[in-house]
Every structure is written in C-alpha cells, then in structure tokens.
C-alpha cells in the first residue's frame, strides 16, 4: 500500500473490488469513452478473470486507487511489461466521476511510474490516447512524457476516425 498526503492510497486490485460499483464504470459511456471497455461490454465473469490474471501476472500491475474513506475509485496500471526491452504501458481509469480533475491521476501515476523504474528496472514507460482525450493528454504532459508519435485516423470514436497520440518517458527523464 502506498499512501499519499491527501489520504488517498493505492493497493493491489483484488477480487473484493468486484463488490463495489467496479462493473458500472465500464458500462458508463462517459467513463469508458476513450478506452475499449465501452465498445464491447463484458460480463462479471470476464472482470473477475481479469482481476485474477492481474493478481497472478508478471506482465502487468494493477493498483486500485482508493479514497480516504477506503472506497475503490479507480485503477492505474502498467501492462505489457517487457522484461527484455525494459518497457511497459501506463493506463488509468477514475471510475468515480466526483474525483475527476482533482489531481489524483497524476499523483498515483507518478508513484506507479517510479515503481516501474525503481522496482521493476524499467527504462521506458509509454501511453497512447485519443487526440481528443484532453484529460489523458494533459496527464501525459504533467508526468513529463514526450509526444513520440501520431497514429493517423487509427481510432473510431463517435462515428468518425480520429488520431491517436503516443507518449513516452525514459527513466533518465523522469528523475531530472
């Protein structure tokens, strides 16, 4: 468990998180607008298997983001952990909308990036997002990530194709 000054904390995602409103996040069009969860609705069994796989995996880390009152409000993760090339992909979802735009995403993401560099010996962490996803684009910049590429018209959202922006940060850049 990592605790923060604002009394928020992160911990490993667990099966008990299924008891809250976890599944509802992925069925809410506003919450899942910029991720694949909103395109193909999944069953409770799917998410239970995902959590079990996350717990047992050496290729991903999923932390539950918790409010001061111990409520599970989101997840932050490193996935596609590549032990040879020392890289991983960062993603985050804040499922409880009252915690949007409060700076929580940057605090927990910085901690996970630090964990990736210092505990997993990663050298590079990336993320990719829709060009119109202002929140994630802003987060990537706050984390010190650099724009590395643009996948033209690679995402289909709201009836049209849009660009996807790729960001990355190296260990040496994160600690400057």
């Amino acid at each position: 468990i990592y605790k923060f000054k604002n009394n928020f904390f992160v911990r490993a995602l667990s099966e008990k998180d299924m008891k809250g409103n976890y599944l509802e996040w992925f069925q809410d069009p506003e919450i899942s607008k910029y991720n694949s969860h909103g395109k193909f609705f999944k069953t409770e069994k799917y998410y239970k298997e995902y959590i079990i796989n996350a717990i047992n995996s050496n290729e991903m880390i999923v932390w539950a983001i918790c409010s001061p009152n111990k409520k599970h409000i989101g997840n932050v993760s490193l996935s596609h952990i590549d032990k040879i090339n020392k890289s991983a992909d960062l993603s985050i979802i804040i499922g409880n909308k009252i915690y949007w735009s409060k700076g929580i995403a940057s605090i927990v993401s910085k901690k996970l990036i630090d964990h990736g560099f210092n505990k997993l010996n990663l050298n590079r962490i990336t993320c990719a997002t829709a060009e119109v996803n202002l929140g994630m684009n802003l987060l990537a910049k706050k984390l010190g990530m650099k724009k590395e590429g643009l996948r033209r018209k690679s995402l289909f959202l709201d009836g049209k194709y849009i660009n996807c922006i790729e960001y990355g940060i190296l260990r040496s850049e994160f600690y400057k």
Side-chain angles (χ1 to χ4, degrees):
I1 294 179
Y2 288 116
K3 294 184 179 185
F4 304 98
K5 289 179 183 177
N6 59 5
N7 293 321
F8 283 83
F9 63 96
V10 290
R11 58 165 172 76
L13 187 65
S14 73
E15 286 185 67
K16 71 179 179 180
D17 293 315
M18 293 285 295
K19 294 177 184 166
N21 59 353
Y22 184 69
L23 298 178
E24 294 170 20
W25 302 346
F26 304 110
Q27 296 173 3
D28 183 317
E30 190 177 10
I31 294 170
S32 62
K33 183 173 185 169
Y34 298 114
N35 61 49
S36 62
H37 299 290
K39 294 184 190 223
F40 298 99
F41 293 122
K42 307 286 194 244
T43 63
E44 184 174 332
K45 180 182 175 193
Y46 169 87
Y47 287 107
K48 186 173 184 174
E49 288 174 6
Y50 172 81
I51 291 172
I52 291 167
N53 288 336
I55 293 167
N56 296 318
S57 177
N58 287 329
E59 295 178 5
M60 81 167 112
I61 292 174
V62 183
W63 288 349
I65 304 166
C66 300
S67 67
N69 65 0
K70 300 182 181 176
K71 200 167 198 178
H72 178 213
I73 62 162
N75 296 337
V76 62
S77 66
L78 288 177
S79 60
H80 305 105
I81 297 172
D82 183 331
K83 295 175 189 127
I84 294 171
N85 296 306
K86 306 292 185 195
S87 65
D89 298 329
L90 174 77
S91 59
I92 188 164
I93 185 168
I94 304 289
N96 189 324
K97 296 176 199 175
I98 66 169
Y99 295 104
W100 287 7
S101 301
K102 306 274 189 226
I104 297 161
S106 62
I107 293 167
V108 299
S109 296
K110 282 179 187 174
K111 189 63 176 174
L112 185 54
I113 290 171
D114 178 66
H115 181 87
F117 289 143
N118 279 311
K119 302 287 184 182
L120 304 179
N121 193 31
L122 297 177
N123 185 56
R124 182 169 185 274
I125 295 176
T126 62
C127 73
T129 191
E131 189 172 49
V132 295
N133 184 350
L134 302 178
M136 191 63 191
N137 282 286
L138 180 61
L139 176 62
K141 291 171 188 170
K142 275 186 179 179
L143 295 172
M145 292 186 156
K146 295 186 179 0
K147 183 177 174 183
E148 294 183 337
L150 178 76
R151 286 186 263 151
R152 299 176 304 133
K153 308 273 186 212
S154 63
L155 299 173
F156 188 73
L157 287 173
D158 296 328
K160 60 186 173 201
Y161 289 97
I162 60 170
N163 298 331
C164 179
I165 300 175
E166 297 179 351
Y167 293 95
I169 189 165
L170 302 175
R171 178 200 312 245
S172 59
E173 296 167 337
F174 186 71
Y175 293 111
K176 276 188 179 178

